[in-house]
Amino acid sequence: MSPSAEQDLGAIRGALVVPGLPMQLPEYAGQADAGGEIRERSVAALVEAIADWKPSAVVVVAGHDPLAEHTKGSVGARVARLLLAGAGWEGPVREISVPIDADPGELDGAAERVLEGRTATGALVLVPADLSAKRTEAAPGHFDERAAAFDAHVLDAIASGDAAALIRCDLVLAQELWATGQAPLQVLARVLPAPVRSEIMWSALPWGVQYVRARWWGRKA
């Protein structure tokens, strides 16, 4: 990361990590609205973060699959827009798209884009990010015995605010476990390398996928 980016780290108010599952979106919800409770709790967490941090802008960091043909764009970015609308946010929003198979150089570049421009000052970083999707036989990617240990490492890093531990996560393994949120989380780790507080608000394994909702506070939050 560039020296100028290092100097701007205190500009970020804090970050909110939320589940990025597609079932939160109206076109995937169905009559039962299976993702409704997760969506509403994420909206409530976003409302609380906005009230606590009083950001001047929101920067969304969302992953996208370069091989997928999503005509409507990144699912994570669409989830973020839905949550922001639900929270009544009317301020500036910037979206930073990160390939889910990004290499370290691409992750560094994404982190610099988060921090550049006027909207970085006083911003809230919103990160729709899911962990592995292979925790059970019923999971989208079926069962992989490596998934539990991977998720435990990521959850521990998030809970303790250990940015270095997040950056050490194996991105190749993340791809194999369908942990599509790992690249956005590594961008977060580069943007807020030393949060003074961190909190996991909720984590669970519905449908065999590890979801998490968490907050990180920056140096000057």
Side-chain angles (χ1 to χ4, degrees):
M1 190 176 297
S2 68
S4 61
E6 289 284 355
Q7 293 170 3
D8 288 340
L9 289 172
I12 302 298
R13 297 286 188 187
L16 179 67
V17 178
V18 295
L21 76 161
M23 282 187 291
Q24 296 173 98
L25 298 169
E27 58 265 42
Y28 294 106
Q31 291 184 343
D33 195 10
E37 182 177 357
I38 292 176
R39 179 182 62 247
E40 294 308 315
R41 289 183 180 272
S42 291
V43 167
L46 181 56
V47 169
E48 182 179 7
I50 291 170
D52 288 349
W53 295 332
K54 298 177 176 56
S56 58
V58 172
V59 180
V60 175
V61 181
H64 77 272
D65 185 350
L67 300 179
E69 296 182 358
H70 294 302
T71 58
K72 295 182 180 180
S74 161
V75 171
R78 287 153 58 196
V79 167
R81 291 176 209 139
L82 184 68
L83 299 181
L84 287 165
W89 176 257
E90 297 180 347
V93 178
R94 288 178 61 218
E95 293 183 3
I96 307 297
S97 184
V98 187
I100 60 175
D101 60 351
D103 60 35
E106 289 174 303
L107 296 171
D108 287 341
E112 291 192 1
R113 292 199 302 277
V114 172
L115 294 167
E116 71 187 9
R118 290 179 298 174
T119 53
T121 302
L124 182 159
V125 180
L126 180 60
V127 187
D130 301 336
L131 279 59
S132 74
K134 295 191 177 186
R135 289 295 296 273
T136 69
E137 292 292 347
H142 304 295
F143 175 73
D144 190 311
E145 63 183 5
R146 302 171 297 172
F150 175 88
D151 289 340
H153 175 85
V154 176
L155 288 172
D156 183 65
I158 293 173
S160 59
D162 190 341
L166 268 182
I167 292 173
R168 285 196 301 270
C169 285
D170 187 338
L171 284 171
V172 174
L173 177 58
Q175 289 292 296
E176 293 174 356
L177 297 176
W178 293 16
T180 56
Q182 190 55 40
L185 286 172
Q186 290 209 7
V187 173
L188 170 60
R190 287 162 166 77
V191 170
L192 288 175
V196 295
R197 287 193 64 188
S198 54
E199 173 192 13
I200 287 186
M201 309 167 73
W202 171 85
S203 67
L205 287 168
W207 312 290
V209 181
Q210 179 68 68
Y211 295 115
V212 62
R213 191 178 299 112
R215 304 198 334 168
W216 275 24
W217 286 258
R219 291 187 180 120
K220 296 183 179 180

